[in-house]
Amino acid sequence: MKYNFDQVICRLGTDCEKWDDRKNQFGVEDVTPMWVADMDFQSPNPVIEALRQRAEHGVFGYGLRSDSYFESIVNWLNRRHQWSVKKEWITHSPGVIPALSLSIQSFTKQGDKIMIQPPVYHHFARVIQAAGREVVTNPLVLKNGHYSIDFDDLEAKIDEKVKMFILCSPHNPVGRVWSKDELTRLGQICRKHKILVVADEIHCDFVYHTHTHIPFASISEEFANHSITCIAPSKTFNLMGVQTSSIIIPNRQLRDRFNQELHTLSIGSPNIFGAVALEAAYRYGEEWLDQVLDYLQGNLEYSLSYFRKNIPEINVIQPEGTYLVWLDCRDLRFSDKELNDFMLQSARVAMNQGQIFGKEGEGFMRLNIACPRSMLQNALSGIENAVTLCKAH
């Protein structure tokens, strides 16, 4: 089946955060929304059909997760990422961020420290602070358009109160796909200091040519036994609204503690539509994913070329994974508020402001390229016109 990702699908009036919440989020509605990380593409046809058939049954009582549900996850990880996962390792969460909250509550106590690597997904710091834990930052280092881990800084900031490390892999927003050497060195440091690694790998299925996502827990049995991996079909197949994630915990003691927290909060039961969507996506969505990856590769190449030729004042950090592009706008010499106002009022494009990902993101913007090419062209043209007009004045 050939999918048409050039098709523009109207999402207005569908209670869509990305489109219907623009006035609330940005104060304006007449802007191209290139912000929140979902795609403006329909999910795979087999997923839509599976949901339709389930809806037509008409009875939506309590559900369970079948053997075939678990098999679909195991087979997907083995096929796409060469990671052999056992069914009993898999537990659940309504989403990856809820899983981070559950992990923090299960494996740390108030006053403990948790390390993150800014500029990084802004909800990491939020859930840590909301739980009464302390955020410790190990900022990524940007050099010659490439981000890397500062391992010396990482070790220097570890003390007896650092109990957890939240790894973003692939990294949102800078787009790094961590190498095996980087992950191994990180894992060795965390094991040495008895720090639990919680890996947010929700973007694992979006990796560009020449790069390979390596699940942290797949590197060694030792890493697997001292880590928690969070995945979901949500980013991969544009299924955020079905609220279904898979949490992989090979260590039984850790898994039992996590499940006890699920039980305490009474949130372990499945959303029946989420279960149907997950299984259909992992079983039958691969053809769609391969096509969307090709389309996103085209969107990325188009974006890189466009900025290079027409908007050289904005430096693009070329992503190795995710469908998010990190824009270095510091040469425009705006304050963060001025930069946001400029993009909204002059370019008419709504993006995520860089500083929400940490102070290391000041002067940056995050652009979502998971949309029809015409929408991307419209957004980049708006940015180009605004920059050109700004220079003229």
Side-chain angles (χ1 to χ4, degrees):
M1 180 180 297
K2 175 66 177 174
Y3 288 92
N4 178 19
F5 299 110
D6 284 323
Q7 180 185 2
V8 177
I9 300 167
C10 181
R11 300 178 66 188
L12 291 170
T14 62
D15 297 326
C16 164
E17 181 180 3
K18 188 177 189 179
W19 288 83
D20 291 332
D21 205 33
R22 285 174 294 174
K23 180 70 173 178
N24 180 54
Q25 291 286 340
F26 302 103
V28 290
E29 286 184 308
D30 185 22
V31 289
T32 304
M34 312 289 283
W35 61 297
V36 67
D38 71 7
M39 298 189 276
D40 288 301
F41 307 136
Q42 283 189 339
S43 295
N45 286 346
V47 175
I48 297 170
E49 178 62 19
L51 289 170
R52 184 189 66 77
Q53 290 182 14
R54 184 65 185 85
E56 286 182 350
H57 182 263
V59 180
F60 312 120
Y62 294 115
L64 52 78
R65 298 176 178 93
S66 65
D67 286 342
S68 61
Y69 168 95
F70 288 101
E71 287 169 4
S72 71
I73 300 167
V74 170
N75 292 338
W76 181 263
L77 290 171
N78 187 54
R79 193 166 65 249
R80 298 295 293 197
H81 302 291
Q82 295 71 56
W83 184 20
S84 296
V85 168
K86 296 180 180 178
K87 170 188 171 182
E88 59 266 26
W89 295 357
I90 304 170
T91 183
H92 323 282
S93 172
V96 168
I97 294 305
L100 297 186
S101 293
L102 288 162
S103 298
I104 290 166
Q105 294 292 345
S106 299
F107 305 111
T108 68
K109 61 181 184 300
Q110 289 211 351
D112 282 347
K113 297 178 181 179
I114 300 173
M115 187 173 285
I116 60 175
Q117 295 180 307
V120 72
Y121 187 48
H122 52 291
H123 287 296
F124 286 8
R126 180 186 64 79
V127 296
I128 293 168
Q129 293 165 340
R133 278 62 162 173
E134 182 179 340
V135 175
V136 178
T137 61
N138 169 228
L140 300 178
V141 177
L142 176 59
K143 185 177 181 180
N144 299 325
H146 182 81
Y147 278 93
S148 60
I149 297 172
D150 186 340
F151 287 103
D152 291 336
D153 176 76
L154 192 160
E155 285 216 78
K157 288 179 176 175
I158 293 174
D159 60 25
E160 70 282 353
K161 296 188 72 175
V162 178
K163 303 297 184 184
M164 181 179 289
F165 185 102
I166 301 180
L167 171 67
C168 195
S169 178
H171 192 282
N172 169 17
V174 310
R176 273 303 315 277
V177 174
W178 303 115
S179 69
K180 186 174 182 179
D181 286 346
E182 288 170 312
L183 293 171
T184 299
R185 187 173 177 187
L186 174 65
Q188 289 170 341
I189 292 170
C190 288
R191 283 298 305 124
K192 174 183 173 183
H193 296 280
K194 296 181 172 58
I195 296 170
L196 178 67
V197 175
V198 180
D200 173 358
E201 300 189 6
I202 197 169
H203 291 278
C204 65
D205 293 311
F206 291 103
V207 175
Y208 295 109
H209 298 166
T210 76
H211 297 283
T212 301
H213 171 75
I214 300 171
F216 176 80
S218 72
I219 294 174
S220 71
E221 185 176 350
E222 183 182 39
F223 286 8
N225 280 321
H226 296 89
S227 67
I228 294 168
T229 302
C230 307
I231 64 166
S234 53
K235 297 295 182 195
T236 307
F237 300 103
N238 212 29
L239 295 168
M240 295 73 169
V242 302
Q243 301 285 294
T244 300
S245 298
S246 300
I247 314 305
I248 302 165
I249 313 177
N251 184 311
R252 182 173 178 176
Q253 288 182 314
L254 296 180
R255 189 168 65 250
D256 287 348
R257 285 170 64 183
F258 184 93
N259 285 338
Q260 180 58 47
E261 191 68 25
L262 273 179
H263 178 73
T264 299
L265 296 173
S266 301
I267 55 173
S269 298
N271 175 320
I272 57 171
F273 288 102
V276 167
L278 178 148
E279 183 173 347
Y282 283 152
R283 286 190 180 280
Y284 310 114
E286 200 155 12
E287 180 184 39
W288 179 93
L289 176 61
D290 288 339
Q291 291 179 36
V292 88
L293 285 170
D294 284 342
Y295 192 85
L296 290 173
Q297 183 80 45
N299 273 1
L300 175 60
E301 291 169 359
Y302 177 84
S303 301
L304 293 170
S305 175
Y306 197 100
F307 276 103
R308 187 168 54 249
K309 293 178 181 177
N310 305 302
I311 325 172
E313 297 83 1
I314 294 177
N315 299 302
V316 181
I317 309 302
Q318 182 168 347
E320 299 167 351
T322 81
Y323 49 73
L324 307 166
V325 178
W326 191 231
L327 305 179
D328 184 350
C329 305
R330 291 176 295 178
D331 286 350
L332 296 177
R333 301 190 182 282
F334 289 134
S335 69
D336 286 317
K337 183 181 185 306
E338 289 170 340
L339 178 60
N340 191 52
D341 289 345
F342 174 77
M343 291 299 180
L344 288 172
Q345 296 168 13
S346 299
R348 311 306 294 179
V349 178
M351 292 182 279
N352 290 105
Q353 295 176 259
Q355 77 271 18
I356 70 172
F357 302 98
K359 65 182 180 63
E360 296 79 6
E362 292 175 356
F364 290 76
M365 301 291 282
R366 191 188 76 173
L367 175 72
N368 180 350
I369 62 169
C371 61
R373 189 77 43 84
S374 61
M375 190 183 303
L376 178 62
Q377 291 168 338
N378 182 61
L380 297 187
S381 175
I383 296 171
E384 178 192 3
N385 293 336
V387 172
T388 301
L389 188 62
C390 180
K391 287 194 299 181
H393 289 81

